[in-house]
Amino acid sequence: MTLDELSTTASLFHFIRPWWLVGLPVVGLIWWLIRRAATRGVALPPVIAPHLAAALTVNRNERKTILPIDGVAVLLGLVTLAAAGPTWSRVPNPLVADTAPVVIALKVSKSMMQTDLPPSRLERSKHKVRDLIGERAGAKTALVAYAATAHQVVPPTEDPDVLTPFLEGLSPEVMPRDGEAARNALQMASAILETQSSPGAIIFLLDRITDADKKAFSDHAQSDGAPVIFWFAGRDTAARDTLGAVEGATVIDISPDKGDVAQVMRNVEAAYQQALAGDDRQKWNDEGWIFAWPAALLALFWFRKGWTMRWSAAVIAIVLVLSTDDARAEGWRDWFFTPDQQGMRAFEAKEFQRAADLFEDPMWQAYSLYKSGKYEEAAEIYAWQDSSHAAVGEGLSLIRSRSYRPAIAAFEKALERDPDNAIAAHNLELARYILDYVETTREQSDTGGEAGIGADDVVYDNEAGRGADSEQQASSGETTPETAEQWMRTVDTRTGDFLKSRFALEAARAPQ
C-alpha cells in the first residue's frame, strides 16, 4: 500500500458502532483486578526470618511472568474492537458499477512519434492502454484522442474488443491538425464522466503539456473535478517536472513491465473509494473480521496446561449458545465472518451462485443471482423490495430475460419511488426503444419484410398485439456478426480511414 493510499484509509477510518468501545475500559479493569490478586504475595508470620520466608514462597517471581489473564484480556479487547465495527470504505451499490469508470485521453500528435520509448511513444502508449483495459474487463472505459482538437473515439464500454480496433487506428495522420490541446480533452473527458452513475477518473497518456493546459488542469482540480492521472510517455525530465507541478494530478512513468499498470489501477481505485466514502446513501463496509485471526491465535494458548481460565471458557460457551440459530453452516467461518461477509468474499471471487446462497442482504443476494445468469430468480427477489434501486434491479433482470413490457413497468415503478433516479430514467428509455425495435421487426417479418436476424430460435414479446404470434428460424444466408471483432472485420474501410473522416467532420463543425 502506498503512502497516499495509507493517508486516504486513515482519513476515512472510524467505527460503525463506537459504543462497543466502552467495553475496553471494562476489560482493562477486569484484567487489573485479577492480575493484582494473582500476583499478591502470601503473608507469612513476621517471626520467620526474611531469607527463610523467601525460600518458602512458591512462585515468588510470578509478578514478572505472563499470566493467563493477560491473554484473555487481549482476546476480549480484540473481540470488543471487532464488535465496534472498524471501517474505512463503503459498500458499493450493487446496481452501480463496482469499479470506477475511466476516460483515457491519448495524445495523438507528431511529438508522440519520437522513439525514445521504442518503438515510439504513441505505440508504447497504445500497448499500455491495451494492458489497462485488459485488467479492467467488465469496467466502463472510454477513449478520447486529441492533438489540436479533441475527439471521443469510443464512449464508455465494458468490452475491450469494442475499444481495441479503434485504438489501433489512431495515428497523427487521422487527426485534423497537429497540436497540443490537452485542455479540450480534459473538458470532453469531464463531460463523459458526468453521464456516469459512479465516480471515475481521467487518465492522460502524453509526453508534455503547455502552460495554457497547465492552468486548465489546476482550475479543474480547484473545482473538485474528477481525479487526473498523467501516464508519462517520454524521457524529457523537464516535461515530467511540469506535469508533476500540476495541482491535484498524479504522475506515473511508463515502465517496461506492468508495474505502472498496477499503479494506475491502485490510484483509480483509491479515487473511487474516496468518492464513494462521500455517498451517504451507501452503508459502511464492516471490517471487524480482521481481528478474528489474532484472536484465534491467542485462543490456541488455552489448550496449554495452566492457561485455561474456566470463567472465560464459560463466557465463550454462553456466547455460542446465545448466537443466532439461523446462521448458515459454513464451519469455522461462522465463528469469524457474518453470512454477508462470506457472501462478499465469494462474490469477489466471482463465485456468484455460492454468493447468492450465502448473502442475507436481499439486494446483494438478488445481484449475485443476476450475475450468475438467473435473471428470473433475481427479478423475483428484487420485486418484493420497496426501494427505487430494487425496482431498477428488477427491470434489468427482466430485460435480460427478454420480458420487455414488465421491465418497462419496473422502471416506471422505480421513477414513482424516486423521480430523480437517473439510472431508472435511462433504462426506461432504453427498454422502450428495445421493445419498439423488436415489435417493428416483428411486424416486418409478419408482412413478408426482412428475413430473420440470425438467431437460432427467437420468440418476441407480443403483448401489444403488433403482428401475429410466430417464431423465426435461423436464415440460411449471411448472418449478422455476433461479436465486435466479427463486426469490425465486415467494415470495408480501415478504422483509421473511418476515424480520419469523422474527426475532420467534427473539426469542421466545431465553433472556431
Side-chain angles (χ1 to χ4, degrees), residues 323-329 339 360:
S323 61
T324 56
D325 295 331
D326 58 350
R328 301 179 186 273
E360 290 183 343

mmCIF file with all atom_site columns, all heavy atoms in Angstrom, residues 323-329 339 360:
data_model
loop_
_atom_site.group_PDB
_atom_site.id
_atom_site.type_symbol
_atom_site.label_atom_id
_atom_site.label_alt_id
_atom_site.label_comp_id
_atom_site.label_asym_id
_atom_site.label_entity_id
_atom_site.label_seq_id
_atom_site.pdbx_PDB_ins_code
_atom_site.Cartn_x
_atom_site.Cartn_y
_atom_site.Cartn_z
_atom_site.occupancy
_atom_site.B_iso_or_equiv
_atom_site.pdbx_formal_charge
_atom_site.auth_seq_id
_atom_site.auth_comp_id
_atom_site.auth_asym_id
_atom_site.auth_atom_id
_atom_site.pdbx_PDB_model_num
ATOM 1  N N   . SER A 1 323 ? -25.869 -17.372 20.308 1.00 0.00 ? 323 SER A N   1
ATOM 2  C CA  . SER A 1 323 ? -25.721 -16.972 18.906 1.00 0.00 ? 323 SER A CA  1
ATOM 3  C C   . SER A 1 323 ? -26.951 -17.394 18.134 1.00 0.00 ? 323 SER A C   1
ATOM 4  O O   . SER A 1 323 ? -27.640 -18.350 18.492 1.00 0.00 ? 323 SER A O   1
ATOM 5  C CB  . SER A 1 323 ? -24.466 -17.605 18.294 1.00 0.00 ? 323 SER A CB  1
ATOM 6  O OG  . SER A 1 323 ? -24.568 -19.001 18.327 1.00 0.00 ? 323 SER A OG  1
ATOM 7  N N   . THR A 1 324 ? -27.257 -16.681 17.042 1.00 0.00 ? 324 THR A N   1
ATOM 8  C CA  . THR A 1 324 ? -28.481 -16.915 16.273 1.00 0.00 ? 324 THR A CA  1
ATOM 9  C C   . THR A 1 324 ? -28.478 -18.304 15.674 1.00 0.00 ? 324 THR A C   1
ATOM 10 O O   . THR A 1 324 ? -27.454 -18.806 15.217 1.00 0.00 ? 324 THR A O   1
ATOM 11 C CB  . THR A 1 324 ? -28.597 -15.881 15.153 1.00 0.00 ? 324 THR A CB  1
ATOM 12 O OG1 . THR A 1 324 ? -27.431 -15.942 14.348 1.00 0.00 ? 324 THR A OG1 1
ATOM 13 C CG2 . THR A 1 324 ? -28.742 -14.493 15.712 1.00 0.00 ? 324 THR A CG2 1
ATOM 14 N N   . ASP A 1 325 ? -29.642 -18.927 15.675 1.00 0.00 ? 325 ASP A N   1
ATOM 15 C CA  . ASP A 1 325 ? -29.783 -20.273 15.149 1.00 0.00 ? 325 ASP A CA  1
ATOM 16 C C   . ASP A 1 325 ? -29.895 -20.301 13.639 1.00 0.00 ? 325 ASP A C   1
ATOM 17 O O   . ASP A 1 325 ? -29.745 -21.353 13.017 1.00 0.00 ? 325 ASP A O   1
ATOM 18 C CB  . ASP A 1 325 ? -31.029 -20.937 15.741 1.00 0.00 ? 325 ASP A CB  1
ATOM 19 C CG  . ASP A 1 325 ? -30.898 -21.131 17.239 1.00 0.00 ? 325 ASP A CG  1
ATOM 20 O OD1 . ASP A 1 325 ? -29.755 -21.287 17.692 1.00 0.00 ? 325 ASP A OD1 1
ATOM 21 O OD2 . ASP A 1 325 ? -31.941 -21.117 17.922 1.00 0.00 ? 325 ASP A OD2 1
ATOM 22 N N   . ASP A 1 326 ? -30.213 -19.130 13.026 1.00 0.00 ? 326 ASP A N   1
ATOM 23 C CA  . ASP A 1 326 ? -30.434 -19.117 11.580 1.00 0.00 ? 326 ASP A CA  1
ATOM 24 C C   . ASP A 1 326 ? -29.169 -18.824 10.801 1.00 0.00 ? 326 ASP A C   1
ATOM 25 O O   . ASP A 1 326 ? -29.221 -18.557 9.611  1.00 0.00 ? 326 ASP A O   1
ATOM 26 C CB  . ASP A 1 326 ? -31.503 -18.092 11.214 1.00 0.00 ? 326 ASP A CB  1
ATOM 27 C CG  . ASP A 1 326 ? -31.137 -16.696 11.669 1.00 0.00 ? 326 ASP A CG  1
ATOM 28 O OD1 . ASP A 1 326 ? -30.156 -16.575 12.422 1.00 0.00 ? 326 ASP A OD1 1
ATOM 29 O OD2 . ASP A 1 326 ? -31.847 -15.734 11.288 1.00 0.00 ? 326 ASP A OD2 1
ATOM 30 N N   . ALA A 1 327 ? -28.003 -18.829 11.498 1.00 0.00 ? 327 ALA A N   1
ATOM 31 C CA  . ALA A 1 327 ? -26.758 -18.603 10.767 1.00 0.00 ? 327 ALA A CA  1
ATOM 32 C C   . ALA A 1 327 ? -26.507 -19.760 9.827  1.00 0.00 ? 327 ALA A C   1
ATOM 33 O O   . ALA A 1 327 ? -26.764 -20.912 10.138 1.00 0.00 ? 327 ALA A O   1
ATOM 34 C CB  . ALA A 1 327 ? -25.586 -18.462 11.752 1.00 0.00 ? 327 ALA A CB  1
ATOM 35 N N   . ARG A 1 328 ? -25.949 -19.467 8.688  1.00 0.00 ? 328 ARG A N   1
ATOM 36 C CA  . ARG A 1 328 ? -25.697 -20.500 7.692  1.00 0.00 ? 328 ARG A CA  1
ATOM 37 C C   . ARG A 1 328 ? -24.491 -21.337 8.110  1.00 0.00 ? 328 ARG A C   1
ATOM 38 O O   . ARG A 1 328 ? -23.501 -20.820 8.632  1.00 0.00 ? 328 ARG A O   1
ATOM 39 C CB  . ARG A 1 328 ? -25.451 -19.867 6.319  1.00 0.00 ? 328 ARG A CB  1
ATOM 40 C CG  . ARG A 1 328 ? -26.643 -19.045 5.867  1.00 0.00 ? 328 ARG A CG  1
ATOM 41 C CD  . ARG A 1 328 ? -26.374 -18.410 4.512  1.00 0.00 ? 328 ARG A CD  1
ATOM 42 N NE  . ARG A 1 328 ? -27.452 -17.512 4.142  1.00 0.00 ? 328 ARG A NE  1
ATOM 43 C CZ  . ARG A 1 328 ? -28.541 -17.872 3.513  1.00 0.00 ? 328 ARG A CZ  1
ATOM 44 N NH1 . ARG A 1 328 ? -28.707 -19.111 3.171  1.00 0.00 ? 328 ARG A NH1 1
ATOM 45 N NH2 . ARG A 1 328 ? -29.484 -16.997 3.213  1.00 0.00 ? 328 ARG A NH2 1
ATOM 46 N N   . ALA A 1 329 ? -24.551 -22.616 7.847  1.00 0.00 ? 329 ALA A N   1
ATOM 47 C CA  . ALA A 1 329 ? -23.476 -23.522 8.266  1.00 0.00 ? 329 ALA A CA  1
ATOM 48 C C   . ALA A 1 329 ? -22.312 -23.421 7.312  1.00 0.00 ? 329 ALA A C   1
ATOM 49 O O   . ALA A 1 329 ? -22.363 -23.926 6.209  1.00 0.00 ? 329 ALA A O   1
ATOM 50 C CB  . ALA A 1 329 ? -23.994 -24.956 8.309  1.00 0.00 ? 329 ALA A CB  1
ATOM 51 N N   . PRO A 1 339 ? -22.682 -14.040 7.501  1.00 0.00 ? 339 PRO A N   1
ATOM 52 C CA  . PRO A 1 339 ? -23.065 -14.569 6.184  1.00 0.00 ? 339 PRO A CA  1
ATOM 53 C C   . PRO A 1 339 ? -22.839 -13.568 5.056  1.00 0.00 ? 339 PRO A C   1
ATOM 54 O O   . PRO A 1 339 ? -22.396 -13.954 3.966  1.00 0.00 ? 339 PRO A O   1
ATOM 55 C CB  . PRO A 1 339 ? -24.552 -14.900 6.364  1.00 0.00 ? 339 PRO A CB  1
ATOM 56 C CG  . PRO A 1 339 ? -24.693 -15.199 7.819  1.00 0.00 ? 339 PRO A CG  1
ATOM 57 C CD  . PRO A 1 339 ? -23.744 -14.262 8.506  1.00 0.00 ? 339 PRO A CD  1
ATOM 58 N N   . GLU A 1 360 ? -27.395 -12.705 3.113  1.00 0.00 ? 360 GLU A N   1
ATOM 59 C CA  . GLU A 1 360 ? -28.675 -12.443 3.748  1.00 0.00 ? 360 GLU A CA  1
ATOM 60 C C   . GLU A 1 360 ? -29.253 -11.113 3.282  1.00 0.00 ? 360 GLU A C   1
ATOM 61 O O   . GLU A 1 360 ? -30.467 -10.928 3.296  1.00 0.00 ? 360 GLU A O   1
ATOM 62 C CB  . GLU A 1 360 ? -28.520 -12.441 5.272  1.00 0.00 ? 360 GLU A CB  1
ATOM 63 C CG  . GLU A 1 360 ? -28.235 -13.820 5.850  1.00 0.00 ? 360 GLU A CG  1
ATOM 64 C CD  . GLU A 1 360 ? -28.163 -13.792 7.360  1.00 0.00 ? 360 GLU A CD  1
ATOM 65 O OE1 . GLU A 1 360 ? -28.011 -12.683 7.925  1.00 0.00 ? 360 GLU A OE1 1
ATOM 66 O OE2 . GLU A 1 360 ? -28.264 -14.861 7.987  1.00 0.00 ? 360 GLU A OE2 1
#
